[in-house]
């Protein structure tokens, strides 16, 4: 079973590959509040299939626990 870290890593790789293998971001994209919540936990990522055949990837507050929020479609 994939861990939250495995899934986040796989989504990041997919995004980078779709953009030619790299993506330029401003340094501010890595501020602590951009990466996680007040409790110190990193934000989570959600994948939602869309009717047009695309997948929406969005940031979600990460639920508590090691497997917080992992669901299979």
């Amino acid at each position: 079973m994939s861990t939250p870290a495995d899934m986040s890593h796989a989504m990041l790789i997919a995004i980078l590959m779709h953009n030619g293998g790299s993506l330029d971001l401003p340094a501010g994209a890595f501020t602590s509040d951009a990466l996680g919540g007040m409790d110190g936990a990193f934000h989570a990522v959600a994948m939602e299939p869309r009717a047009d055949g695309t997948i929406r990837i969005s940031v979600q507050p990460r639920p508590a626990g090691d497997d917080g929020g992992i669901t299979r479609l």
Side-chain angles (χ1 to χ4, degrees), residues 19-64:
N19 286 281
S22 65
L23 187 62
D24 293 333
L25 298 172
F30 294 96
T31 61
S32 57
D33 62 334
L35 296 175
M38 296 284 292
D39 63 357
F42 288 124
H43 294 309
V45 180
M47 287 180 26
E48 177 188 358
R50 310 292 291 186
D52 64 0
T54 61
I55 296 174
R56 173 173 284 168
I57 297 175
S58 57
V59 174
Q60 301 291 320
R62 185 170 182 265

Side-chain angles (χ1 to χ4, degrees), residues 2-40:
S2 298
T3 66
D6 292 337
M7 295 298 292
S8 293
H9 182 82
M11 286 183 233
L12 172 61
I13 297 301
I15 291 167
L16 291 172
M17 292 303 292
H18 182 75
N19 286 281
S22 65
L23 187 62
D24 293 333
L25 298 172
F30 294 96
T31 61
S32 57
D33 62 334
L35 296 175
M38 296 284 292
D39 63 357

